[in-house]
Amino acid sequence: VQRYGEEPFIRSAADIAFHVALFIAKNGTYVNYYMYHGGTNFGRTAAAKVITSYYDQAPLDEYGLIRQPLWGHLKELHAATKLCEVPLLAGSYETSSLGHLQIAYVFKGKSGKCAAFLVNNDNTSNARVRFQNISFELPSMSISILPDCKNVAFNTAKVSTQYNTRSRTVKYKFDSMERWEEFNEPIPIFSNTLLKANALLDHMSTTKDTSDYLWYTVSFQHESDAEAELSVVSNAHVVHAFVNGAYKGYAHGGKHNFALENPIELKNGTNHITLLSVMVGFPKSGAYLERKTAGIRSVRIQNRYLNNYQWGYQKIGLLGENLSIFTDNGRNKVEWSRFQGRHSRLIWYKTVFDAPGGNDPLALNLGSMGKGEVWVNSQSIGRYWVSIHTPQQRPSQTWYNVPRSFLKPEENQLVLVEEEYGDPLGITLDSVSITKDAKY
């Protein structure tokens, strides 16, 4: 599972084939792949910080395209294993040592048929072994499959399938200001919230997984204009801070508490502190899962802790979510304005587009955006978080799968909610294809 901010973990075709063959050799049975076809975590189905694309490195990728050489190499492995099926499934089983790090798994059928898997567990050196008075050269970290115990039909380290690479072609540019509209998400204050409590409530138990977002807001009196430091401790994934309606910064974290610490200006009289707690999926496993919490844990202004003040909560996340403005029925419940070209935080964008011709899979290139969620014809394509980078200083995911089954020939509705300063004019809709005979 890849999370936002992480590089993809890519195993070679030889490594995967080795472990598949080893499973078959040790268990005397065929193997079920956990994921042979990649997928997409549409909507809010992904767990905590998991990217929208799911195991795109599978033999069949997220779009159903063949990944070479992995697909072809495993196909050859399956064919070689098929030749062994009679002794493998119905024969007797024994092992014998061929060396310090080499072993033979041998299957013998009642009819005299014999199949063997010769394993070299040495990850640095080749090994020459003798099996049934025949000499075999085993490449490092490899398994040779002998359907007749004499002749090698397949070796996991010898990849003969040609490579391919995946390419994308821009089919539609969303670069026309005139075709975009926007709606600024209103920032709530304490007096217009319905849910109130004399405590900082837990994010997950309050929203009950109906939203990634939970507003926390408090009002208090201050006797003069002054500068102060705002400190917010959270164990959600992101927190945004607003003071008297003005944006004052954000911070993000991972598994543990993190802090947002920013200077703010207080005014004489009533001051409004509004905090947006953001989850990017919820925890799905691990010990004491029922005890896990998320959200804002502590709020301090200078030496004044506000934890036990009366807080107001907008329970159903963002107003745009509550009104479902990404749907046909909800789209007209707010007043949209023409796109101004000023990039703001917490803003909704919408536009329309026609479906490109052809049959190639399609993907939205959101490389110009920051963080949020995107819908096409009321269907959530998933969360995006392009602004958080991997150790190699690149987004974990830039392209987001748009199945053609989600589209109409014309007038498709595209809606996004953007938390950061993303630029919708840089979005493109690209076709996805594979090119043969090229290295990755």
Side-chain angles (χ1 to χ4, degrees):
V1 175
Q2 184 185 357
R3 291 176 170 80
Y4 285 108
E6 296 177 350
E7 299 284 352
F9 176 65
I10 300 177
R11 296 171 64 188
S12 69
D15 179 51
I16 293 176
F18 175 88
H19 286 92
V20 171
L22 186 61
F23 180 93
I24 296 170
K26 284 186 173 182
N27 294 279
T29 185
Y30 292 119
V31 61
N32 288 321
Y33 289 89
Y34 166 60
M35 291 291 290
Y36 199 82
H37 193 318
T40 306
N41 292 306
F42 292 118
R44 299 175 54 251
T45 55
K49 295 185 76 173
V50 172
I51 67 173
T52 298
S53 176
Y54 192 85
Y55 194 32
D56 189 37
Q57 297 79 36
L60 294 172
D61 69 12
E62 177 180 9
Y63 306 96
L65 302 175
I66 291 174
R67 284 278 199 182
Q68 297 285 30
L70 179 57
W71 188 88
H73 194 51
L74 291 181
K75 180 181 179 181
E76 293 177 6
L77 167 61
H78 302 156
T81 304
K82 176 71 173 174
L83 298 174
C84 306
E85 69 175 341
V86 173
L88 182 66
L89 298 178
S92 61
Y93 167 77
E94 63 182 36
T95 63
S96 61
S97 175
L98 301 177
H100 178 58
L101 293 172
Q102 295 75 39
I103 189 171
Y105 295 87
V106 184
F107 301 86
K108 294 182 179 178
K110 293 181 180 179
S111 63
K113 289 188 176 181
C114 175
F117 293 71
L118 309 186
V119 181
N120 180 12
N121 284 303
D122 191 329
N123 60 10
T124 59
S125 302
N126 295 354
R128 180 161 293 278
V129 301
R130 291 194 66 82
F131 174 71
Q132 294 194 355
N133 294 320
I134 303 175
S135 179
F136 294 92
E137 180 78 17
L138 303 181
S140 64
M141 212 62 187
S142 75
I143 299 177
S144 288
I145 300 177
L146 288 61
D148 58 0
C149 285
K150 295 179 182 178
N151 299 291
V152 176
F154 177 82
N155 180 271
T156 59
K158 297 180 179 179
V159 181
S160 59
T161 303
Q162 290 181 308
Y163 285 71
N164 69 9
T165 189
R166 191 164 62 186
S167 62
R168 300 174 179 87
T169 303
V170 175
K171 293 295 184 180
Y172 189 93
K173 293 183 178 181
F174 295 88
D175 56 356
S176 172
M177 287 185 61
E178 290 73 22
R179 295 181 66 86
W180 282 100
E181 294 180 88
E182 64 182 37
F183 167 69
N184 284 281
E185 177 71 23
I187 311 304
I189 59 175
F190 177 82
S191 60
N192 61 20
T193 56
L194 297 178
L195 176 63
K196 293 180 171 63
N198 293 322
L200 295 168
L201 299 182
D202 174 67
H203 184 133
M204 291 190 290
S205 60
T206 303
T207 62
K208 301 188 187 305
D209 199 19
T210 56
S211 174
D212 288 352
Y213 303 98
L214 178 62
W215 288 104
Y216 295 69
T217 180
V218 66
S219 298
F220 64 94
Q221 298 295 315
H222 193 71
E223 295 181 352
S224 63
D225 296 338
E227 292 187 353
E229 181 182 76
L230 171 67
S231 175
V232 180
V233 176
S234 173
N235 63 351
H237 294 137
V238 179
V239 62
H240 297 272
F242 299 81
V243 177
N244 297 322
Y247 189 74
K248 292 300 178 182
Y250 86 109
H252 63 83
K255 296 181 180 179
H256 307 292
N257 291 350
F258 64 94
L260 179 154
E261 295 181 339
N262 275 3
I264 61 173
E265 299 82 33
L266 299 177
K267 64 181 182 179
N268 184 24
T270 303
N271 289 266
H272 305 287
I273 306 295
T274 303
L275 307 171
L276 181 61
S277 173
V278 185
M279 295 294 292
V280 186
F282 290 98
K284 69 177 180 65
S285 61
Y288 308 110
L289 182 61
E290 73 282 2
R291 302 181 190 177
K292 290 186 178 180
T293 61
I296 294 170
R297 308 260 65 89
S298 175
V299 180
R300 175 177 55 83
I301 296 178
Q302 293 298 90
N303 296 321
R304 178 195 295 185
Y305 281 88
L306 307 182
N307 299 12
N308 296 323
Y309 278 50
Q310 190 174 41
W311 287 83
Y313 300 87
Q314 184 168 299
K315 190 173 181 179
I316 311 297
L318 305 178
L319 178 64
E321 283 184 294
N322 195 8
L323 299 177
S324 298
I325 65 174
F326 45 83
T327 65
D328 290 336
N329 292 332
R331 199 167 295 120
N332 296 324
K333 292 182 180 179
V334 300
E335 184 175 346
W336 296 85
S337 59
R338 294 190 63 179
F339 177 61
Q340 301 298 311
R342 298 189 302 269
H343 305 145
S344 304
R345 291 186 182 268
L346 287 179
I347 187 169
W348 295 78
Y349 297 110
K350 76 179 180 75
T351 188
V352 295
F353 66 97
D354 296 337
N359 297 314
D360 285 342
L362 299 172
L364 276 173
N365 181 354
L366 299 179
S368 64
M369 304 305 289
K371 181 184 180 302
E373 189 172 350
V374 55
W375 291 261
V376 172
N377 292 333
S378 306
Q379 170 65 55
S380 176
I381 300 303
R383 305 178 180 97
Y384 63 88
W385 198 354
V386 180
S387 63
I388 186 172
H389 286 181
T390 70
Q392 298 296 321
Q393 297 304 308
R394 56 192 176 193
S396 295
Q397 184 175 355
T398 302
W399 281 270
Y400 291 78
N401 184 15
V402 182
R404 285 187 177 269
S405 60
F406 289 4
L407 301 180
K408 303 177 295 184
E410 299 177 338
E411 296 292 308
N412 295 283
Q413 296 284 337
L414 173 65
V415 180
L416 306 94
V417 58
E418 171 62 33
E419 292 178 38
E420 302 178 1
Y421 294 110
D423 180 9
L425 299 183
I427 298 173
T428 62
L429 183 64
D430 302 352
S431 65
V432 185
S433 59
I434 53 174
T435 303
K436 297 180 180 180
D437 305 334
K439 288 286 185 181
Y440 284 118

